[in-house]
Amino acid sequence: MRRRIKVRGGHLGAFLCWAVVFADIGTSVYYVPGILYGHFGPRSAIFVLMTLFVFILLCVKYAEVTWRYPEGGGVVNVSSQALHPFVGLLGGLLILVDYYLTAGISALSGVFYLAVLAPGLIPLATVLTVAALVALGLLNALGIKESARATAVVACIAGGGQLVVVIAVAFSLGPAGIIHSFSALGSGPRLPLTALVIGYAAAFLAFSGLESIAQLAPAMREPRRAVAGWAMGAVVISIAITSPLLTLWSTTLLNKNADPTQFISLLGAHVSGAALGDFVAVSGSLLLVFASNTAIIGAYHVFIALARMGFMPRVLEARNHWRRTPHWAILAAIGLPVLIVIAAQGSLNLLGDLYAFGLLGTFVLTCVSLDVVRWRERNRWGPGAIALFAVGILTTILVIVAWSVNLVAKPLATEFGGGLTVIGLIAGLATYRYSRGQRPSVFPVPFRPQRAAASIASALGNRPSAGEVLVILPHEQLAAEAVLAEAARAAAGRGAVFLFRGNRYPNQHHELLEVTDPYLKDYGAHDAFARAEKLARSQVPHRRYVYVPGNLPREMVGEVWRTVSPKETVVTIEDRGMLPPMAVDRVHRHVTDGTTVLHLFTAKVRPQPEAITA
């Protein structure tokens, strides 16, 4: 009988998810107006409004990534599974470039906003920023991280401060003044098309941090689809109200001598007095520190995920015995931001110019990957799905245009981000190649009850011979060696699917922003697949790997069998019970070192088309 599989979610509802994402995206308004003002003057808000439209489209895609990939990982996970694991490595490196600059810019902006209360801090901005980054690294090494509830409190306070500034300016200007303030966007000489395109691409900095919603997927409550939709809807409303208006008014109403690194606080003081300006400075500084810490947490979890995938040295996932924290990954996450801030000598504009490469590259990979996933489901499309796919393609094109423009218009960002990415690719591929001869990294198809048939069929590549032999790998090593020896003989010159059902960890703790793909933590599965790959690579030309998480019932192995519909199944006599009832044409038994291995021969059966409900 078909069983309903209960998929357990996390503890974060729509409000807490909004808080964490807003704590990342909402910080951009503190430094983006000043950065854009240095290039485009009082017309900066034009470009923020242009990118706001694309930001809304991107929110739709990222909400879908969240419920499609509940194990998190964002661009690393979606690009690995939609395109290729090596593309996942590229996505991880791009998001690392983004995280590095987010940590540096946020910490530096936090110091500048504190300087509203203590102007003497400005000459010490670089030193204080480095000290803040090191302190955040030490706190993470001690295992002290901000909770989602603490982030919610800070996000509400800072978001409330931004909204109060908007309301205060609106009351100060009055209806006629508000309308007149928009006239500044049209004043001056006509902007050429090249300036519009460059400004559009540069303004994406105002919406950095969107990737964090995909990283929150494991901690999100069920139903994730609804929670992600509500959370992203709240993010869109919050950003749409504050970012364009604060950019417009801070770049047009303030004195030309105003410090661009303190625009929002100075705007509040300009229309409502020093008290509001100080409140915005303190709350904004606190939110910026939280955003910097979130970037550090996200960065070291990406390092850990890439290490578990076999692209980075395994030492990065090592945890100390004192606090059980990944100290080497944390050091890698804060080391480069510290060097970047020192090299930039506290220049916020320089850091902003470096930002575009990783941010937009991440957006491009995520959008392309999701388009590929949607296209593979085209057989089930209705009118709504067709329209959604068309809008998704438009979103991808708009983001690709922005990234392409920045590659040319911001050569420093291209050199910096591209250089780091190339170094990371060389290190990742070298690590993978080195380990391939000793302990090969295998990227199996993750079994998901909701999309079992589609994912496995895609892995087989529509090649009927790819699944002629199904090999069920046991957990016990001696038994696994016996099964592999029989499988290599049975599948020689043919195609084989190697299946492993993982262990179950009922009380396993997952950290916030961690990639919780169960296979990445299942080292028994890594070893089983690595042994299979080493033995089968010279004898089995077409081989695939399927991983069934241990928290799913044993009967899920039967679903894989039905989907693959093999002619021959190789399994130990102890694991025979995982297979569904079937008509066996003949059985061959082989005993090796006390392990009885069965060869079950069946006629090709027609796979059941329906997927398991969740």
Side-chain angles (χ1 to χ4, degrees):
M1 293 179 60
R2 293 276 175 170
R3 297 181 58 183
R4 289 185 63 85
I5 306 302
K6 181 174 177 58
V7 181
R8 297 186 180 276
H11 62 282
L12 299 186
F15 171 71
L16 291 179
C17 290
W18 164 84
V20 175
V21 177
F22 182 78
D24 206 352
I25 300 180
T27 55
S28 302
V29 75
Y30 293 106
Y31 50 80
V32 168
I35 293 174
L36 293 179
Y37 184 78
H39 296 284
F40 306 106
R43 292 183 168 184
S44 301
I46 293 176
F47 309 109
V48 174
L49 288 170
M50 291 172 64
T51 53
L52 178 63
F53 170 73
V54 186
F55 168 73
I56 295 172
L57 299 179
L58 280 171
C59 285
V60 175
K61 278 198 160 181
Y62 270 94
E64 184 172 342
V65 169
T66 300
W67 61 260
R68 279 186 180 272
Y69 300 92
E71 61 274 16
V75 64
V76 178
N77 198 11
V78 63
S79 57
S80 293
Q81 297 187 32
L83 301 174
H84 193 277
F86 291 161
V87 184
L89 167 63
L90 175 61
L93 296 173
L94 290 173
I95 194 63
L96 280 175
V97 174
D98 183 20
Y99 280 143
Y100 282 150
L101 290 168
T102 296
I105 290 176
S106 297
L108 182 60
S109 296
V111 172
F112 283 137
Y113 272 89
L114 276 182
V116 172
L117 282 73
L121 297 179
I122 291 183
L124 303 173
T126 301
V127 175
L128 292 175
T129 301
V130 170
L133 290 171
V134 172
L136 290 174
L138 291 174
L139 288 176
N140 280 280
L142 292 172
I144 302 173
K145 308 179 187 74
E146 87 285 3
S147 67
R149 295 187 183 277
T151 304
V153 173
V154 175
C156 288
I157 293 174
Q162 296 177 21
L163 185 59
V164 169
V165 173
V166 170
I167 295 173
V169 175
F171 271 104
S172 173
L173 296 176
I178 293 173
I179 296 174
H180 179 71
S181 67
F182 283 92
S183 64
L185 301 179
S187 61
R190 183 177 181 180
L191 289 172
L193 179 61
T194 54
L196 286 173
V197 174
I198 292 174
Y200 156 75
F204 270 90
L205 179 59
F207 306 110
S208 63
L210 186 57
E211 178 79 9
S212 56
I213 186 65
Q215 309 286 358
L216 286 176
M220 196 176 291
R221 285 180 185 168
E222 290 290 345
R224 285 187 174 88
R225 191 167 190 166
V227 172
W230 283 108
M232 295 312 294
V235 168
V236 167
I237 293 172
S238 304
I239 298 300
I241 291 175
T242 57
S243 186
L245 292 177
L246 290 177
T247 302
L248 170 65
W249 290 332
S250 62
T251 55
T252 57
L253 299 182
L254 293 177
N255 189 288
K256 292 184 179 180
N257 297 323
D259 189 343
T261 63
Q262 303 170 344
F263 262 179
I264 307 305
S265 176
L266 297 178
L267 179 63
H270 175 72
V271 297
S272 192
L276 179 57
D278 292 346
F279 174 77
V280 171
V282 173
S283 61
S285 170
L286 190 57
L287 188 65
L288 287 161
V289 170
F290 270 72
S292 182
N293 194 40
T294 300
I296 292 172
I297 295 172
Y300 75 70
H301 277 135
V302 170
F303 273 119
I304 292 173
L306 293 178
R308 288 171 175 166
M309 293 171 69
F311 292 127
M312 292 290 171
R314 295 292 296 272
V315 69
L316 287 174
E317 58 176 315
R319 294 178 179 265
N320 57 68
H321 297 289
W322 180 39
R323 301 292 295 183
R324 302 301 302 164
T325 52
H327 48 284
W328 293 115
I330 293 172
L331 179 61
I334 67 166
L336 198 56
V338 167
L339 294 178
I340 292 171
V341 171
I342 294 174
Q345 297 182 349
S347 173
L348 200 59
N349 286 329
L350 178 58
L351 292 178
D353 286 340
L354 295 176
Y355 205 93
F357 185 87
L359 172 69
L360 288 170
T362 301
F363 286 167
V364 168
L365 272 188
T366 302
C367 287
V368 170
S369 300
L370 187 57
D371 290 338
V372 170
V373 172
R374 288 173 173 175
W375 176 253
R376 289 172 181 167
E377 300 174 351
R378 61 189 180 278
N379 294 333
R380 303 195 301 270
W381 279 358
I386 295 174
L388 186 63
F389 179 77
V391 173
I393 293 294
L394 173 63
T395 307
T396 302
I397 293 172
L398 292 174
V399 175
I400 290 176
V401 168
W403 195 39
S404 302
V405 169
N406 270 320
L407 290 178
V408 178
K410 292 190 174 183
L412 193 59
T414 304
E415 294 170 6
F416 170 78
L420 283 182
T421 303
V422 169
I423 293 172
L425 285 173
I426 294 173
L429 296 178
T431 303
Y432 175 80
R433 185 174 181 82
Y434 172 77
S435 63
R436 184 174 175 80
Q438 302 178 357
R439 185 177 180 273
S441 296
V442 176
F443 306 101
V445 177
F447 180 87
R448 292 187 179 87
Q450 300 93 331
R451 302 189 302 278
S455 60
I456 295 174
S458 174
L460 296 180
N462 299 318
R463 182 182 292 138
S465 62
E468 288 188 357
V469 180
L470 175 65
V471 183
I472 300 178
L473 300 174
H475 287 213
E476 203 276 323
Q477 186 170 354
L478 290 178
E481 296 294 340
V483 169
L484 287 173
E486 291 294 325
R489 182 180 59 82
R494 298 197 289 171
V497 174
F498 294 88
L499 183 147
F500 186 90
R501 181 173 179 264
N503 292 309
R504 184 175 185 181
Y505 305 98
N507 298 317
Q508 192 173 20
H509 172 69
H510 298 301
E511 298 177 358
L512 192 66
L513 302 182
E514 181 183 7
V515 184
T516 62
D517 185 344
Y519 174 71
L520 295 183
K521 288 188 174 183
D522 194 338
Y523 301 108
H526 289 194
D527 292 335
F529 285 143
R531 291 196 302 270
E533 173 65 15
K534 288 182 69 174
L535 183 63
R537 64 169 52 150
S538 61
Q539 304 180 54
V540 183
H542 307 301
R543 56 197 180 277
R544 298 292 186 270
Y545 300 89
V546 176
Y547 175 77
V548 177
N551 63 328
L552 296 177
R554 284 165 56 101
E555 291 83 359
M556 295 302 102
V557 174
E559 297 301 325
V560 179
W561 185 88
R562 291 189 182 96
T563 304
V564 176
S565 63
K567 292 181 179 179
E568 181 179 351
T569 304
V570 181
V571 61
T572 63
I573 194 170
E574 291 81 8
D575 291 338
R576 171 68 178 82
M578 289 193 291
L579 295 172
M582 56 184 173
V584 180
D585 294 341
R586 65 185 187 278
V587 179
H588 290 176
R589 295 171 181 263
H590 296 270
V591 180
T592 305
D593 295 331
T595 301
T596 303
V597 181
L598 304 178
H599 293 254
L600 309 177
F601 294 88
T602 56
K604 273 283 194 177
V605 297
R606 183 180 180 182
Q608 298 189 17
E610 65 274 11
I612 304 171
T613 57

